[in-house]
Amino acid sequence: MIRNTPDPASGASRWEAPEAASSRPATDLAAAAEQLLSGGTRQLDAAALREALLDLHEFWLTTKAAEIGITPTSGFAIVATGGLGRGELMPYSDLDLMLLHDNMPVEVVSQVAEMLWYPLWDANIRIDHSVRTVPQALKVAGEDISAGLAMLDVRHIAGDSDLSSLLIGGARSQWRTGIASRFDELVEHTQSRWQRSGEIAHRAEPDLKSGRGGLRDVQLLNALAMAQLADVYPSRSLASPTGSLGDAHLALLNVRTELHRVSGRGREQLLAQHADEIGAALRIGDRFDLARMLSDAARTVSYYVDAGLRTAANALPRRGFAALRRPVRRPLDEGVIEFAGEVILARDARPERDPGLILRVAAASATAGLPMSASTLSRLAEHAPELRTPWPRQALKDLLVMLAAGPATVATIEALDRTGLWGRLFPEWGTVRDLPPRDVVHIWTVDRHLVETVWRASAFTTRVSRPDLLVLGALLHDIGKGRGGDHSVIGAELATQIGTRLGMWPSDIDVLAKMVRYHLLLPDTATRRDLQDPKTIDTVVDALGGDPVLLELLHALAEADSLATGPGVWGDWKASLIGDLVRRCRLVMAGEPLPQPDPIEPRYLSLAAEVGVHVELTPADSPHIYNVTMIAPDRRGLLSKAAGVLALNKLRVHSASVNSHEGSAINTFVVSPHFGSPPAAELLRQQFILALGDELDVTGSLEQREREAAQHGTRRAGEIPAAVPGNHVHAPPRVLWFDGHTPGELVVQVRATDRAGLLAKLTAVFERDGVDIAWAKVTTMGSSVVDAFCISLGSGPASADESAVRAELERDLYAVLPAPAPAKAAEQAS
């Protein structure tokens, strides 16, 4: 129906000018709003105030519409967007209004608009207004992503409801049909907003509306839901430890409402000067309590937005060649696979029967650099049982792998924490969760600072002989904060409690507790005491019990802690002072003990004397862990072939003891299959015999597998690259030399990030360089290896010049060791 036809008989254009001037001035609206805001002792709470303001403005607009002739048959409609459209009207926000008309004459439209807008302007009420037809409004929404998002909040206020329905339905339909082509623009628009406004959880004065984790992100989730790409609230179980996404949304609204009321302006940035008053008004507490609540709410919203964007991206139809390829399901670990760029559970995974599955999923996510899917986290949260105390050995190993994964560890722990799984693993975390720092130099909440310290420490794992204790100490060094008293003393007690639950050795628990107790000892002493005074050095040495391992751990932890605190906390001056203190303490201490070979089990001595080649595989004391013993006549290159056979069968070596006795090599490996069950011992024996006879080229086979894995991980157009677990290297490798117990022997210690087939490659280097391995002790701590090889230079070229041989061997070892990518190295240096 064309409503602006001049023919009165058509009944189309029914708007008639009012007989008298409008009788409802907007000053009444402004006065009533001010009365609500100054309610005195009967002041409304935040939610009630928003509801009252919404009713007040809707009543005035509907009454005004009737006065100026905007009726259901007038060809005009008033619609609201923004806070009024969403039903979340703030005290001092602009009124976002649109006057819709059905192709009415220009002079009529102008007259109606003036009668609607001028009273509001005269009353100093701020409005964001427009006058459009439905096609014009839809055109604007289609051209500008911000307008398109705003149009999704349109709500009918007064006048022709059919006209409003055309706009509402048209905007949502246009959004759904156009989202495939606009999704990249939407993501770019969102990330640009985050970059401008920062993270609410970690800003001293956050932007509640546009910051990451703020109200704009909740609106983004609604927009994805309207496009039928994601749920608004995916699951009630996927909630923060203290509430759901709905609770987080309401908390942000309430704080923003009180910010407007307290400041008397339409502010979006929460200034520190208003924080205490807002905290008191909401009965939360002081500004620190308010900051903690905001951190929880914002991080919860952020988690849902990240999950929602991933879900939406996977739900979009593929274009071009990508539409012809089916997403690959790639195994990552037992019961864990990669699918469509996310880590999910395998079809046969049974979380209710597998307590260690949570940590296997987390370790796979961190090492592969892929997020855990929301459905997987929901299923684990609902069905995975508690880990028994002490933890199984494999659970602790998976935890260490995750902690040593570098920056990806931050996102992994954040996802676990937002879904309640991290608190299940570490109940002590609740006290530091979202706890704001009391020192202005800290830029993170206490819990986030701990995780940031972990990933910083992961770059230093090759500096120390116990990388496992380094990352655990980094995770727990401030765990005692928020409990009153000295957080170092309290934290040491908690570290003992946690270490016992994790199933650590008592001696390791003692070192971990001392790391937490004395994590401030080196920086405080170096920057406040006279390092020339012998008493200063003696005091530090006595506090550490003369333990050089504890000293090197605290040295690395001090740097990681400083780097994770904030910009400028770690610098050349502080590094040189602490380095000088550590050097002086080492001179006083006895030094590190030399690695020793493990004793040989008597039964294996008997087998070595009776059989030629023997291979046995037996279950260890933990699920998915096995012992493989390989006995054969000793010869150069035997160890590299044994390790290569294990790598070809996708058996990860956790530790190994390499010995020889009366001409026989006796090698015992602690292994776990990458997924599934291990191969039969007879198959390993047959491959071992073939490798010893040079009929199986294990080195060439491993290199071919690496090439195939690299090709599989190459980025294709429009796809997320498939990351290969274990290929993410953060700490530079190190090769250390020690004198052996007997003349002609050297002990070479290799510290590096683990990866498939690394032991086979290292031992092959010794073989190629003509060096005999007398014994070896291989240890994998999470994703870090500390391998000691006692070598004999032997005869021939190797004995010609010891320094030249060492230099050549060291160069060849570094050539096969995994090193950080240049970008990562630069990131660590910064």
Side-chain angles (χ1 to χ4, degrees), residues 147-321:
L149 288 168
M151 210 66 72
L152 299 177
D153 295 328
V154 167
R155 187 165 62 90
H156 174 74
I157 299 296
D160 191 339
S161 59
D162 291 339
L163 197 58
S164 299
S165 297
L166 283 175
L167 177 60
I168 295 170
R172 297 184 179 185
S173 175
Q174 180 174 276
W175 178 254
R176 282 193 297 270
T177 57
I179 190 62
S181 61
R182 305 186 71 182
F183 185 74
D184 290 343
E185 182 187 2
L186 176 65
V187 173
E188 183 180 353
H189 173 80
T190 301
Q191 292 175 341
S192 177
R193 170 169 57 79
W194 290 341
Q195 189 173 7
R196 290 192 309 270
S197 304
E199 292 189 61
I200 289 178
H202 306 293
R203 280 272 175 119
E205 296 184 334
D207 185 330
L208 302 176
K209 183 177 180 180
S210 299
R212 182 174 174 84
L215 293 167
R216 286 285 191 218
D217 285 344
V218 177
Q219 294 160 28
L220 174 61
L221 282 172
N222 280 298
L224 294 175
M226 289 182 188
Q228 300 175 348
L229 295 179
D231 296 330
V232 182
Y233 302 142
S235 169
R236 286 289 300 182
S237 66
L238 289 184
S240 77
T242 56
S244 68
L245 176 59
D247 296 329
H249 181 200
L250 181 60
L252 291 168
L253 284 175
N254 289 341
V255 175
R256 187 182 176 207
T257 303
E258 292 300 335
L259 174 61
H260 280 212
R261 177 152 51 183
V262 167
S263 66
R265 298 181 182 179
R267 292 186 181 275
E268 309 304 341
Q269 187 174 15
L270 175 57
L271 300 180
Q273 68 196 63
H274 301 307
D276 282 322
E277 189 173 353
I278 292 172
L282 293 174
R283 295 181 175 84
I284 294 172
D286 62 13
R287 60 191 176 96
F288 294 104
D289 298 314
L290 177 65
R292 189 169 194 176
M293 184 273 288
L294 275 177
S295 174
D296 174 69
R299 289 162 79 173
T300 299
V301 172
S302 293
Y303 167 78
Y304 278 102
V305 168
D306 289 342
L309 288 173
R310 288 199 310 271
T311 301
N314 289 330
L316 288 172
R318 295 173 177 265
R319 293 176 290 178
F321 288 110

Side-chain angles (χ1 to χ4, degrees), residues 635-641 644 694 697-703 706 755 757-773 791-793 795-799 804-805 808-817:
R635 50 173 283 193
R636 181 174 292 167
L638 181 143
L639 179 56
S640 67
K641 292 177 171 57
D694 295 327
D697 182 7
V698 291
T699 301
S701 299
L702 288 173
E703 290 176 350
E706 282 189 359
R755 70 177 182 187
L758 179 60
L759 180 58
K761 290 186 175 185
L762 291 175
T763 50
V765 169
F766 291 113
E767 177 185 356
R768 290 195 303 268
D769 288 0
V771 173
D772 294 325
I773 300 175
I791 62 173
S792 174
L793 298 183
S795 60
S799 61
V805 170
E808 180 182 2
L809 182 58
E810 183 170 315
R811 184 187 66 244
D812 294 343
L813 287 172
Y814 275 119
V816 301
L817 287 170

Side-chain angles (χ1 to χ4, degrees), residues 453-472:
T453 306
V454 169
W455 92 252
R456 294 288 187 175
S458 69
F460 308 145
T461 50
T462 54
R463 291 190 193 176
V464 299
S465 59
R466 292 300 304 272
D468 54 336
L469 293 179
L470 175 60
V471 293
L472 285 172

Side-chain angles (χ1 to χ4, degrees), residues 31 74 80 362 524 545 551 589 653 663 711 726 731 804 806 825:
S74 64
D524 284 354
L551 178 65
M589 294 179 174
V653 178
Q711 185 177 7
R806 286 176 55 162

